[in-house]
Amino acid sequence: MLKLLIYICTILLPFLPLKTNVSIDFVGKKKLIELKRIYWLLAGLVLSFISISTEIYTDVDIYTNIFDWTNAGNINYDTPGWALLCRFFYSIGFNYRGMIPFILILSIFIISRACRKIAVDENKVLALMLIFPGLLNIIQLKFFLAYSIVIYAITILQCKGKHKVFKYLIIVLFATMIHSASIFCLIYLIIAMLKRTNMQKSIFFTMLGFIIVLLSLKMIPQIASIFLDKQVITRYFTGAVEVSSIMWIIEITIAWLLMVIIAWGLIGSSRFQVINKNIKNLYDKGLFISSSFTVLCLTGLVLPLLIYDQNFHRFIEIEYMIGYELLLFCFQERFFYSKRNKYIIILFLMLSIIYCIRYFVPFDRVMPLFSFDGIVRVLR
């Protein structure tokens, strides 16, 4: 299983004490390359290699049919941004399989830029991403691109700057043109309104919002129809929950709670209170920590929508990516009172990731990706 070994080594790379700078001769001149600056490219290339060396895997036929249908002259009002990308890659000679590597690398690049914007170790974030949601990013390519854009948009709300709300709206609407479910990420605008808050307020507003969503559950399809195409409404809001889905909803709720609990323990065992007392010097750091925890809590507002469609569970992936950023931010800033708390949180995080892999990444979906079927045709 060479592909599996390469994948595991790629995950471990950022955590190993390796030399990060390499000097090479380039046209007679020595050039210094920071390897840590191009890990995003390595991660993208590894995922790309896995995708184009596997003949058949989950949903690839569905995406291929959408690609061919779009380039047959049909108009997709559901996700015009994705349709535009399909037509662009078709026009330069690629089929859907040839489009995949470009989208994977672009998505990972966007996430790495988001991490740099908030001064978080991007390589470790990407390594954790490869663990979970990991290979799901190849299977759900359209959502991967959309949520990478949303994560970048969230960092805009977490940093100082003018017109943050306007920029966030524009970027999320752009992500909605890639994947229509991204429109529900508008709930994260609340963090711009709260400015800076503590954990108790974040939990209070989440519980209040949860109650409001439950009470207005029947009205949500009508409200969503104002912003979304009829085809999208039919796709997400015409289903009904089945008895077998109840357990699935409970499992997703547990995954959401796990990351919230990890963040609670993370902030509670750190110098978060010290940051709050020193707003002038550490405003950005305090804003990032408080807003990240609020985002984790607000993701729970999407959970009631699972009674309409199970695909709303994908917001857990956004929650975990923000959680990874928060975790690594606190580690690199040395915000912990004791090493014991640090190791407890790391252990709890790994158990949480294992839980998510167990329930959201079935082996029959991802294991075919580790088979080597030769390089598939990428040109049309």
Short mmCIF file of all heavy atoms in Angstrom, two decimals, residues 213-238:
data_model
loop_
_atom_site.label_atom_id
_atom_site.label_comp_id
_atom_site.label_asym_id
_atom_site.label_seq_id
_atom_site.Cartn_x
_atom_site.Cartn_y
_atom_site.Cartn_z
N VAL A 213 -34.19 28.34 16.04
CA VAL A 213 -34.17 27.49 14.84
C VAL A 213 -35.18 26.35 14.98
O VAL A 213 -35.92 26.05 14.03
CB VAL A 213 -32.75 26.91 14.59
CG1 VAL A 213 -32.78 25.86 13.48
CG2 VAL A 213 -31.78 28.02 14.22
N LEU A 214 -35.24 25.73 16.15
CA LEU A 214 -36.19 24.64 16.36
C LEU A 214 -37.63 25.13 16.22
O LEU A 214 -38.47 24.46 15.61
CB LEU A 214 -35.99 24.02 17.75
CG LEU A 214 -34.76 23.12 17.92
CD1 LEU A 214 -34.63 22.68 19.37
CD2 LEU A 214 -34.87 21.89 17.02
N LEU A 215 -37.93 26.31 16.79
CA LEU A 215 -39.29 26.84 16.74
C LEU A 215 -39.70 27.27 15.33
O LEU A 215 -40.88 27.25 14.98
CB LEU A 215 -39.43 28.03 17.70
CG LEU A 215 -39.32 27.69 19.20
CD1 LEU A 215 -39.37 28.96 20.03
CD2 LEU A 215 -40.43 26.73 19.62
N SER A 216 -38.70 27.67 14.54
CA SER A 216 -39.01 28.16 13.18
C SER A 216 -38.61 27.15 12.11
O SER A 216 -38.43 27.50 10.95
CB SER A 216 -38.28 29.48 12.93
OG SER A 216 -36.88 29.33 13.09
N LEU A 217 -38.48 25.88 12.50
CA LEU A 217 -37.98 24.86 11.59
C LEU A 217 -38.84 24.74 10.33
O LEU A 217 -38.33 24.56 9.22
CB LEU A 217 -37.91 23.52 12.32
CG LEU A 217 -36.85 22.52 11.87
CD1 LEU A 217 -35.48 23.17 11.78
CD2 LEU A 217 -36.81 21.32 12.80
N LYS A 218 -40.15 24.82 10.49
CA LYS A 218 -41.05 24.69 9.34
C LYS A 218 -40.98 25.90 8.42
O LYS A 218 -41.34 25.82 7.24
CB LYS A 218 -42.48 24.48 9.83
CG LYS A 218 -42.71 23.14 10.51
CD LYS A 218 -44.17 22.95 10.88
CE LYS A 218 -44.40 21.58 11.53
NZ LYS A 218 -45.82 21.38 11.90
N MET A 219 -40.53 27.03 8.95
CA MET A 219 -40.46 28.25 8.15
C MET A 219 -39.14 28.38 7.38
O MET A 219 -39.04 29.17 6.44
CB MET A 219 -40.63 29.48 9.06
CG MET A 219 -41.95 29.54 9.78
SD MET A 219 -41.96 30.85 11.03
CE MET A 219 -41.50 32.27 10.04
N ILE A 220 -38.13 27.61 7.79
CA ILE A 220 -36.80 27.75 7.19
C ILE A 220 -36.81 27.52 5.68
O ILE A 220 -36.17 28.29 4.94
CB ILE A 220 -35.79 26.83 7.90
CG1 ILE A 220 -35.50 27.40 9.30
CG2 ILE A 220 -34.49 26.71 7.11
CD1 ILE A 220 -34.56 26.54 10.13
N PRO A 221 -37.52 26.50 5.14
CA PRO A 221 -37.54 26.35 3.68
C PRO A 221 -38.09 27.58 2.96
O PRO A 221 -37.58 27.96 1.90
CB PRO A 221 -38.45 25.13 3.47
CG PRO A 221 -38.31 24.34 4.73
CD PRO A 221 -38.17 25.37 5.81
N GLN A 222 -39.12 28.21 3.55
CA GLN A 222 -39.68 29.41 2.93
C GLN A 222 -38.68 30.58 2.97
O GLN A 222 -38.53 31.32 2.00
CB GLN A 222 -40.99 29.83 3.63
CG GLN A 222 -42.20 28.96 3.32
CD GLN A 222 -42.15 27.64 4.04
OE1 GLN A 222 -41.54 27.51 5.11
NE2 GLN A 222 -42.80 26.62 3.48
N ILE A 223 -37.99 30.70 4.10
CA ILE A 223 -36.98 31.76 4.22
C ILE A 223 -35.83 31.50 3.25
O ILE A 223 -35.35 32.41 2.57
CB ILE A 223 -36.46 31.84 5.67
CG1 ILE A 223 -37.59 32.20 6.64
CG2 ILE A 223 -35.31 32.84 5.78
CD1 ILE A 223 -37.22 32.11 8.10
N ALA A 224 -35.39 30.24 3.17
CA ALA A 224 -34.28 29.89 2.28
C ALA A 224 -34.64 30.11 0.82
O ALA A 224 -33.77 30.42 -0.01
CB ALA A 224 -33.87 28.44 2.52
N SER A 225 -35.93 29.96 0.47
CA SER A 225 -36.35 30.12 -0.92
C SER A 225 -36.16 31.54 -1.43
O SER A 225 -36.13 31.79 -2.63
CB SER A 225 -37.82 29.71 -1.09
OG SER A 225 -38.66 30.57 -0.33
N ILE A 226 -36.03 32.50 -0.50
CA ILE A 226 -35.79 33.90 -0.88
C ILE A 226 -34.39 34.04 -1.49
O ILE A 226 -34.18 34.82 -2.42
CB ILE A 226 -35.93 34.83 0.34
CG1 ILE A 226 -37.34 34.73 0.92
CG2 ILE A 226 -35.59 36.28 -0.04
CD1 ILE A 226 -37.50 35.50 2.23
N PHE A 227 -33.45 33.24 -0.99
CA PHE A 227 -32.05 33.37 -1.39
C PHE A 227 -31.59 32.27 -2.36
O PHE A 227 -30.64 32.47 -3.12
CB PHE A 227 -31.14 33.33 -0.16
CG PHE A 227 -31.49 34.33 0.89
CD1 PHE A 227 -32.27 33.98 1.99
CD2 PHE A 227 -31.07 35.65 0.78
CE1 PHE A 227 -32.59 34.91 2.97
CE2 PHE A 227 -31.39 36.58 1.76
CZ PHE A 227 -32.15 36.22 2.85
N LEU A 228 -32.28 31.12 -2.33
CA LEU A 228 -31.81 29.97 -3.09
C LEU A 228 -32.76 29.60 -4.21
O LEU A 228 -33.97 29.87 -4.16
CB LEU A 228 -31.61 28.77 -2.16
CG LEU A 228 -30.60 28.95 -1.02
CD1 LEU A 228 -30.60 27.73 -0.12
CD2 LEU A 228 -29.21 29.22 -1.56
N ASP A 229 -32.21 28.96 -5.22
CA ASP A 229 -32.97 28.49 -6.37
C ASP A 229 -33.93 27.37 -5.97
O ASP A 229 -33.68 26.64 -5.00
CB ASP A 229 -31.99 28.01 -7.45
CG ASP A 229 -32.70 27.57 -8.71
OD1 ASP A 229 -33.12 28.46 -9.48
OD2 ASP A 229 -32.82 26.36 -8.91
N LYS A 230 -35.03 27.23 -6.71
CA LYS A 230 -36.02 26.20 -6.40
C LYS A 230 -35.41 24.81 -6.41
O LYS A 230 -35.78 23.95 -5.60
CB LYS A 230 -37.17 26.28 -7.42
CG LYS A 230 -38.31 25.32 -7.11
CD LYS A 230 -39.44 25.47 -8.12
CE LYS A 230 -40.57 24.48 -7.81
NZ LYS A 230 -41.68 24.61 -8.79
N GLN A 231 -34.47 24.59 -7.32
CA GLN A 231 -33.80 23.29 -7.40
C GLN A 231 -33.05 22.97 -6.11
O GLN A 231 -33.03 21.84 -5.66
CB GLN A 231 -32.85 23.29 -8.59
CG GLN A 231 -32.15 21.96 -8.83
CD GLN A 231 -31.20 22.00 -10.02
OE1 GLN A 231 -31.19 22.98 -10.76
NE2 GLN A 231 -30.41 20.95 -10.18
N VAL A 232 -32.44 24.01 -5.52
CA VAL A 232 -31.70 23.82 -4.28
C VAL A 232 -32.66 23.52 -3.13
O VAL A 232 -32.39 22.66 -2.29
CB VAL A 232 -30.86 25.07 -3.95
CG1 VAL A 232 -30.06 24.86 -2.68
CG2 VAL A 232 -29.94 25.40 -5.11
N ILE A 233 -33.78 24.24 -3.09
CA ILE A 233 -34.77 24.01 -2.04
C ILE A 233 -35.29 22.58 -2.11
O ILE A 233 -35.43 21.89 -1.09
CB ILE A 233 -35.94 25.01 -2.19
CG1 ILE A 233 -35.44 26.46 -2.02
CG2 ILE A 233 -37.03 24.72 -1.16
CD1 ILE A 233 -34.80 26.75 -0.69
N THR A 234 -35.56 22.13 -3.34
CA THR A 234 -36.01 20.75 -3.52
C THR A 234 -34.95 19.76 -3.05
O THR A 234 -35.26 18.73 -2.44
CB THR A 234 -36.33 20.49 -5.01
OG1 THR A 234 -37.30 21.44 -5.45
CG2 THR A 234 -36.86 19.08 -5.20
N ARG A 235 -33.69 20.12 -3.33
CA ARG A 235 -32.58 19.22 -2.98
C ARG A 235 -32.42 19.07 -1.47
O ARG A 235 -32.20 17.98 -0.96
CB ARG A 235 -31.28 19.80 -3.60
CG ARG A 235 -29.99 19.20 -3.07
CD ARG A 235 -29.81 17.77 -3.53
NE ARG A 235 -28.55 17.22 -3.06
CZ ARG A 235 -28.33 16.74 -1.85
NH1 ARG A 235 -29.32 16.73 -0.97
NH2 ARG A 235 -27.16 16.25 -1.51
N TYR A 236 -32.54 20.19 -0.73
CA TYR A 236 -32.20 20.17 0.70
C TYR A 236 -33.39 20.12 1.65
O TYR A 236 -33.22 19.75 2.82
CB TYR A 236 -31.36 21.41 1.05
CG TYR A 236 -29.94 21.34 0.52
CD1 TYR A 236 -29.53 22.17 -0.52
CD2 TYR A 236 -29.02 20.44 1.03
CE1 TYR A 236 -28.23 22.12 -1.02
CE2 TYR A 236 -27.73 20.38 0.54
CZ TYR A 236 -27.34 21.22 -0.48
OH TYR A 236 -26.07 21.15 -0.98
N PHE A 237 -34.59 20.50 1.19
CA PHE A 237 -35.68 20.68 2.16
C PHE A 237 -36.94 19.88 1.86
O PHE A 237 -37.99 20.16 2.44
CB PHE A 237 -36.05 22.17 2.25
CG PHE A 237 -34.97 23.02 2.84
CD1 PHE A 237 -34.19 23.83 2.03
CD2 PHE A 237 -34.71 22.98 4.20
CE1 PHE A 237 -33.18 24.62 2.56
CE2 PHE A 237 -33.70 23.76 4.74
CZ PHE A 237 -32.94 24.58 3.93
N THR A 238 -36.88 18.91 0.97
CA THR A 238 -38.08 18.12 0.69
C THR A 238 -38.03 16.75 1.34
O THR A 238 -39.00 16.01 1.31
CB THR A 238 -38.27 17.94 -0.83
OG1 THR A 238 -37.09 17.36 -1.38
CG2 THR A 238 -38.55 19.28 -1.49
#
